[in-house]
Structure formats: structure tokens, C-alpha cells
Amino acid sequence: MQTVQKLFVGSIFHTLGLNKFAHLPQHLLGISPQGKVLFVSPKAKENEIYRQFDINGSTEIIDLGRKFLVPGFVDTHVHAPQYPNAGKGTHLSLIDWLNKLTFPFESKFDDLRYSKSVYEKVVSRLLRNGTTTACYFATIYPNSSKQLADIMNKQGQRGLVGKVNMNRNSPHYYIESTEESLLATEEFINYVKGLKNDTIEPVVTPRFVPTCDPELLMGLSFLAVKHKLAIQSHVAEHVDEVSWVKELEPDCVYDTLVYKKYDLLHPRTILAHAIFLTPQEKKMFEQSKAAISHCPNSNFTISAGKLDLRDLLNRGIKVGLGSDISGGYSPSLLQAQRDSITCSKALAFETQNKEKEINYQQAFYLATLGGAQALGLEHKIGNFEVGKEFDAILVDPKPPIENSSFDVFPQDSIDDIFQKWFYLGDDRNVSKLFVKGKQVL
Ligand code: GUN
Ligand code: FE
């Protein structure tokens, strides 16, 4: 009989697919000592569960009361070193924003003391907001990037972490040679693997085509295959970037074709933004099973554009949500979910096509199971299916703080309360946080 280490009793919300939102009222959810979901069952079947599983004096029983469980949020695209700039430079557009604000700032991270202080803050800020899994860009510096992996390890956050690569069109004080870049990347990969933490993995991270020449892209593709790693970058984020890529790689008509040409378009590739994809490029995503990170807060903030999310979903392309700090100003995946709805509605108004809209249940899917699928982690996380690892937020809709961000009224049903949390909630509603069954907050 399997031992139950923790037993939750109460309301659970999760999704089993884009259109499969589920509220499970009055349920039992059991966790194994290894942090996996053992069962999710209506409370009415309690007797059966007690017969099948070893629930004994040492099982921790947690009655949720007014609180409820949701899967931990998955941030599929976030630049950890840019966190101190969140909310700054929002008047700039992409290329100016990179050259005037972002590259000078990231270059500070060769100072390991500074780097550690920022990475500690960003990881804990994301956790406070319910992000149990993050897919990070660090900087070009390998030792600083290792610190980010160490801090995720220490604070208990799951995720992918990449040392950034850039060997062209970058300022003299923030650039690497091809050889340096590839050597440092492999050293970084081996370091992260050496942590022996099965919730943290290295990800190959060419910044974007303008800063990575073909030789570097080929070398990175080789490393990704050799070490069986995920790949992340940016694609078709801004009209200026798209036309720059065409100038730099004239034989590739499309941004995505560059990644395809250098064998970087894999089932575990995640490319951020993808606003200006042509139908031909969308086909490349369909065929390769590569994923897109939708970062609506960033796209509005640095005036990039609106993604046609519905079209990608209709084509069966994997999509997750990203905060894209500090292109985006908000570390909150609740904000990303709301912004994905606003973006879809703006497109629906403009095209007079209501089908373009997504609803809150679909946005919630993108922030949880959709994100897990985009990162190739759906066999481990994203919802509470039996056998998955338990990554969860315990949401308290009525935190014991006077200035909580919304009010619950007697006539509100539990479904109303979920929606109020979705639209009005913030980090004060994160009562506890779990990664692989372990409480991290
Ligand atoms: N394209 C290349 N680098 C970046 C970055 O740091 N942020 C965003 N939003 N786009 C990029
Ligand atoms: Fe980005």
C-alpha cells in the first residue's frame, strides 16, 4: 500500500486541456513521500481511498476550508537579470530598449556579488506570485548564470535556466567570441547537470538571430543535441527585428527559417513572442512541434504588437505565457493571464471576430498545463493528474490582511470567488506554495 504523506481536503481547480477547465469541489488529494499525486477523488468516496492507501497517524491532513488549490504557474519566458528594470524604459521600442537600457544593465552581472543579490530577489518575487516553474534567460556570464541555478535550487523553484549567447551586433563591453561562448555554455550545462536536481535543467539560449551568427547557432544546435536540451530564443517580436534578420540572413526569407536552417527548431524549442509570423512560419511550428511563449504584457509595454493567439491555438501549436521581465513589467502570471485576455479582445474588436477572444479558463490553462506543454514538462506538471509531481498554489481568497485586494460577499459562489481571485488577486492570496510536494513558501 502506498503511503500518503499529505492529504488535502477541499476545492481544487485545474485544467485537462484548453477547453477542459475543472472545478472539483469537496475532493481529497493525496501526495506521496516522493511528492507525486497519488489520487484525486470526491470526498464521498473517502472509504474506498482509506482502504486503498496507507493513511496513518503520520499523514498530514490539510483541510482547505475557504482556500483552494490550483496548479503552480509556469512562466515560460523571463529574463532574471532584468528584474531591477521592471517598470523602467517603457517609452522605448525594442532595439533602442536593448541598446540603451538592457545591454548596459546586463553587463553589470560579471560582478558576482551584484548578480547574486538580484537573482535572490527575482526568484523569491516570482515564487511569492505563485510561479513554481520559470524558464530563465540569465546573461552571457557563465559564473553568474550558475548562481541563478544555485538560487533556484536553494529556494526550491523548478525551471530551466540558460546562459545567454551573443557574438555579433552587441556592444564591445557585452559580447563573446564564438569559441568563448560555446566553451562557457558547455561548462554551464555541465554545472547545472552536476547539481543533480531533477527539477532544474539547463536550456540552450541564443539571445536572438541579430546577436548570434550562423557559426554560433550551429555550435549551439550541436550542444543541444549532444546534451539533449531544450532551446529558447526570441522570434518575430518586432517589425524592426524581422527586417533586420532579413538583412543579416538574406537567404532566409523568414525569422523562423533561420532557426530551422541551423537545426534549432525542435519539439523542445520555445520561442518568445512570434507576433509577426507568416503562415509559412506557423507551418514550421506545426511540423516541428516547437512552442511559443506569449508575452502580452511585454508586447504592449514595449509597443511590439498583438499576437493572434487564437490562430496558433486553432493550429494546435503549443503556447505558454511569459512575463518577459523587463520587457514586461509584471512578475505576476495572473497579470499575464489577464493581459492575454485583453490582447485577444483587442484583436477581436479590430477584426470584428469574436472567435479571437479567449476566456479566463483558457488563460488559466495557458498559465498552467499550456506552459508545462510548451516547456516539454507536461508528463511531470501542469495539473493534478495522478502520477504528476505536486506543484501547487494554496490560494487564500480572504487573506488575513486588512488591505487585501478584493472582497468576498456572502452571495459569492466558489466559482465566483475563483474569478474574483483571477481578476483581482495578487501575491497576498498565495497562502502556501508547493514544488514536487515540498512546501517552498
Ligand atoms: N530580443 C532580444 N533580447 C531581448 C530581450 O531581452 N527582451 C525582449 N523582449 N526581446 C529581446
Ligand atoms: Fe524576452
Side-chain angles (χ1 to χ4, degrees):
M1 255 201 328
Q2 282 173 297
T3 307
V4 180
Q5 193 180 57
K6 285 194 183 77
L7 176 63
F8 293 95
V9 187
S11 254
I12 297 163
F13 292 87
H14 71 167
T15 72
L16 297 168
L18 176 64
N19 297 312
K20 290 184 183 156
F21 178 83
H23 170 211
L24 312 172
Q26 288 296 309
H27 268 60
L28 304 175
L29 189 154
I31 313 290
S32 73
Q34 293 76 32
K36 291 192 176 176
V37 178
L38 286 171
F39 54 82
V40 182
S41 165
K43 194 160 184 291
K45 294 192 177 166
E46 194 167 28
N47 290 343
E48 245 172 75
I49 292 292
Y50 272 77
R51 272 199 302 277
Q52 276 179 39
F53 293 92
D54 178 13
I55 299 169
N56 58 48
S58 64
T59 303
E60 187 187 351
I61 299 179
I62 303 137
D63 189 343
L64 298 179
R66 66 170 183 244
K67 299 175 187 172
F68 54 85
L69 282 175
V70 302
F73 292 145
V74 180
D75 188 339
T76 59
H77 185 85
V78 47
H79 297 263
Q82 296 174 16
Y83 174 54
N85 283 343
K88 296 191 199 176
T90 59
H91 58 293
L92 297 168
S93 79
L94 180 67
I95 307 298
D96 268 355
W97 176 85
L98 285 171
N99 287 318
K100 292 187 176 152
L101 183 72
T102 303
F103 292 161
F105 194 78
E106 287 188 13
S107 76
K108 289 167 174 259
F109 282 68
D110 62 345
D111 174 347
L112 293 181
R113 246 197 319 179
Y114 183 66
S115 151
K116 183 163 182 269
S117 72
V118 172
Y119 288 158
E120 277 171 348
K121 285 201 172 70
V122 67
V123 172
S124 70
R125 178 63 62 189
L126 262 59
L127 286 170
R128 273 247 44 86
N129 279 280
T131 297
T132 48
T133 299
C135 186
Y136 286 112
F137 281 58
T139 62
I140 66 171
Y141 307 116
N143 290 335
S144 162
S145 306
K146 290 176 200 167
Q147 283 183 321
L148 178 56
D150 287 340
I151 289 162
M152 293 163 77
N153 190 27
K154 191 154 159 231
Q155 295 197 23
Q157 190 175 44
R158 186 190 294 275
L160 286 73
V161 52
K163 181 211 113 50
V164 172
N165 305 94
M166 36 205 289
N167 74 341
R168 67 172 172 185
N169 297 312
S170 308
H172 66 90
Y173 56 81
Y174 193 53
I175 190 166
E176 328 156 278
S177 70
T178 311
E179 196 189 351
E180 269 172 348
S181 184
L182 293 173
L183 280 174
T185 300
E186 192 154 33
E187 176 198 325
F188 170 76
I189 291 167
N190 289 328
Y191 180 84
V192 178
K193 285 184 161 179
L195 292 176
K196 301 248 175 281
N197 178 336
D198 63 8
T199 66
I200 300 174
E201 58 180 303
V203 49
V204 171
T205 308
R207 181 168 209 126
F208 68 155
V209 174
T211 63
C212 301
D213 75 6
E215 196 190 357
L216 178 58
L217 293 177
M218 276 187 280
L220 291 173
S221 158
F222 174 80
L223 286 180
V225 173
K226 177 177 170 191
H227 293 276
K228 299 191 178 64
L229 299 182
I231 297 161
Q232 63 176 348
S233 192
H234 298 86
V235 76
E237 176 180 7
H238 194 280
V239 284
D240 296 344
E241 173 241 335
V242 172
S243 54
W244 195 11
V245 169
K246 270 190 201 151
E247 256 172 58
L248 291 166
E249 302 300 326
D251 60 328
C252 291
V253 204
Y254 313 118
D255 211 353
T256 311
L257 198 53
V258 182
Y259 294 115
K260 190 173 157 160
K261 179 173 172 190
Y262 298 109
D263 194 24
L264 288 158
L265 216 55
H266 293 192
R268 282 206 82 196
T269 299
I270 175 142
L271 298 179
H273 309 294
I275 301 170
F276 300 101
L277 293 183
T278 58
Q280 290 86 341
E281 289 175 281
K282 290 177 186 177
K283 270 264 168 307
M284 292 177 209
F285 276 90
E286 289 171 44
Q287 284 162 359
S288 64
K289 309 268 186 279
I292 288 168
S293 172
H294 176 30
C295 307
N297 187 274
S298 170
N299 298 157
F300 282 116
T301 303
I302 55 172
S303 306
K306 294 191 300 293
L307 178 76
D308 188 347
L309 172 62
R310 177 62 69 187
D311 185 38
L312 302 180
L313 296 173
N314 286 346
R315 290 166 179 269
I317 296 172
K318 294 182 286 185
V319 184
L321 293 179
S323 63
D324 193 25
I325 284 172
S326 70
Y329 55 79
S330 173
S332 162
L333 258 266
L334 277 174
Q335 179 74 32
Q337 292 169 73
R338 298 165 192 151
D339 289 336
S340 72
I341 296 172
T342 305
C343 178
S344 75
K345 289 197 185 212
L347 198 67
F349 298 151
E350 184 185 292
T351 58
Q352 298 198 359
N353 180 359
K354 198 159 166 62
E355 202 257 337
K356 296 288 179 200
E357 283 186 23
I358 62 157
N359 61 31
Y360 74 90
Q361 291 107 324
Q362 291 163 336
F364 179 65
Y365 155 82
L366 293 175
T368 55
L369 184 58
Q373 289 164 341
L375 298 181
L377 296 175
E378 71 278 10
H379 56 293
K380 284 190 171 179
I381 55 161
N383 60 21
F384 299 124
E385 276 184 306
V386 170
K388 286 199 186 182
E389 297 177 7
F390 182 73
D391 284 15
I393 309 172
L394 179 58
V395 177
D396 185 353
K398 277 170 88 175
I401 305 172
E402 251 181 300
N403 65 345
S404 91
S405 56
F406 64 96
D407 294 292
V408 174
F409 291 88
Q411 68 271 27
D412 290 335
S413 68
I414 176 80
D415 290 297
D416 294 333
I417 294 169
F418 178 90
Q419 285 183 64
K420 286 188 163 189
W421 164 70
F422 179 92
Y423 279 107
L424 299 162
D426 61 27
D427 56 344
R428 288 168 291 187
N429 303 107
V430 176
S431 168
K432 286 181 183 167
L433 197 68
F434 299 88
V435 174
K436 207 178 170 186
K438 197 170 141 242
Q439 191 178 334
V440 296
L441 268 190

